[in-house]
């Protein structure tokens, strides 16, 4: 392994520790950003992919991007969560409508300011207003499946993410400690959520001594939190001190110039460390798999 990247990687994890911890439970801003990236995707009955969504396929996809599981149909999603009155709607609440005359048949995601985002049969994924007469007259109710304003939602999120497939903070700590050749014999963890007998105790303790992982305001390490592809782009770019190569010629349809990770993802692509997921997409909100973690590191080390 090349030694020149060890110092930069310390900096990357010191810089990036807080966002990872604070975002263990997805925020309302992440929810809105995730949903809006699909604006313009056409409507397709039964659709669940970026080739075309139906209403519940869209909501299911957005929540899945953030690590949450929703039932497949609008009626099924209406059976989830806790009922919320219209005057108490929060960002991330599911809003339901009767567009067929036979009960709940349409669903969208409330994004604030009396607006919701949905996959409609006429406009595809788009933003609409609850004040619009069409939607106002067909409004049925709302459900709160996840409270995006509370960190407690992290327990639900973690339970729905397969950490045998996706990379966790714990796994990142283990790989980083291994790559840096750190002594992990001290398992007297400073984190309240990591016991001395936990698999990650030695790595977390060693990294904490180097102030790479310092925990959040509650003293937690959050070893079972996943990491997104956007977050990984930042870590790798900073860790390997990657710089732009010429003009920004690499573009992904789901990462516009206003996205917080745009520069990191573009640089990663310019260096050939990522080629995206196909069809011009990067998947910034998708979680990094264990296989992708190894591939990213191997490609970056070879640069």
């Amino acid at each position: 392994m090349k030694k020149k990247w060890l110092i930069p990687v310390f900096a990357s994890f010191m810089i990036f520790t807080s966002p990872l911890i604070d975002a263990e439970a997805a925020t309302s801003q992440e929810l809105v950003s995730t949903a809006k990236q699909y604006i313009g995707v056409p409507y397709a009955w039964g659709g669940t992919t970026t080739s075309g969504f139906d209403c519940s396929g869209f909501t299911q996809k957005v929540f899945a991007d953030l690590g949450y599981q929703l039932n497949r149909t609008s009626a099924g999603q209406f059976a989830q969560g806790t009922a919320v009155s219209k005057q108490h709607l929060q960002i991330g609440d599911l809003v339901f409508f009767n567009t067929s005359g036979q009960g709940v048949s349409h669903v969208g995601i409330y994004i604030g300011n009396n607006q919701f985002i949905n996959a409609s049969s006429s406009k595809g994924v788009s933003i609409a207003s609850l004040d619009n007469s069409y939607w106002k007259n067909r409004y049925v109710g709302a459900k709160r499946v996840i409270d995006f304003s509370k960190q407690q939602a992290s327990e639900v999120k973690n339970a729905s993410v397969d950490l045998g497939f996706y990379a966790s903070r714990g796994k990142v700590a283990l790989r980083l400690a291994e790559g840096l050749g750190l002594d992990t014999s001290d398992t007297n963890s400073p984190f309240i959520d990591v016991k001395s007998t936990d698999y990650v105790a030695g790595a977390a303790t060693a990294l904490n001594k180097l102030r790479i992982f310092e925990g959040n305001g509650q003293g937690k390490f959050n070893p079972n939190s996943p990491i997104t592809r956007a977050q990984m782009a930042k870590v790798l770019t900073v860790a390997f001190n990657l710089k732009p190569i010429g003009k920004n010629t690499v573009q992904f349809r789901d990462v516009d110039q206003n996205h917080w990770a745009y520069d990191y993802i573009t640089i990663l692509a310019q260096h050939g460390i990522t080629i995206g997921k196909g069809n011009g997409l990067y998947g910034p909100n998708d979680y990094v798999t264990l296989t992708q973690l190894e591939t990213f590191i191997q490609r970056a080390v070879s640069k």
Side-chain angles (χ1 to χ4, degrees), residues 1 14 42-43 73 101 120 122 180 187 210 224 226 235-237 239 286:
M1 181 174 290
M14 290 178 67
Y43 180 87
T73 67
S120 72
S122 59
L180 297 175
T187 60
L210 295 173
N224 295 320
V235 169
L236 292 172
T237 300
D286 292 349

Side-chain angles (χ1 to χ4, degrees), residues 58-89:
F58 168 66
T59 54
Q60 186 183 57
K61 172 59 175 172
V62 171
F63 274 63
D65 283 349
L66 297 171
Y68 304 105
Q69 296 177 337
L70 290 183
N71 293 331
R72 173 61 187 91
T73 67
S74 57
Q77 292 173 14
F78 189 62
Q80 295 180 268
T82 303
V84 180
S85 63
K86 199 171 187 179
Q87 60 266 36
H88 292 124
L89 285 172

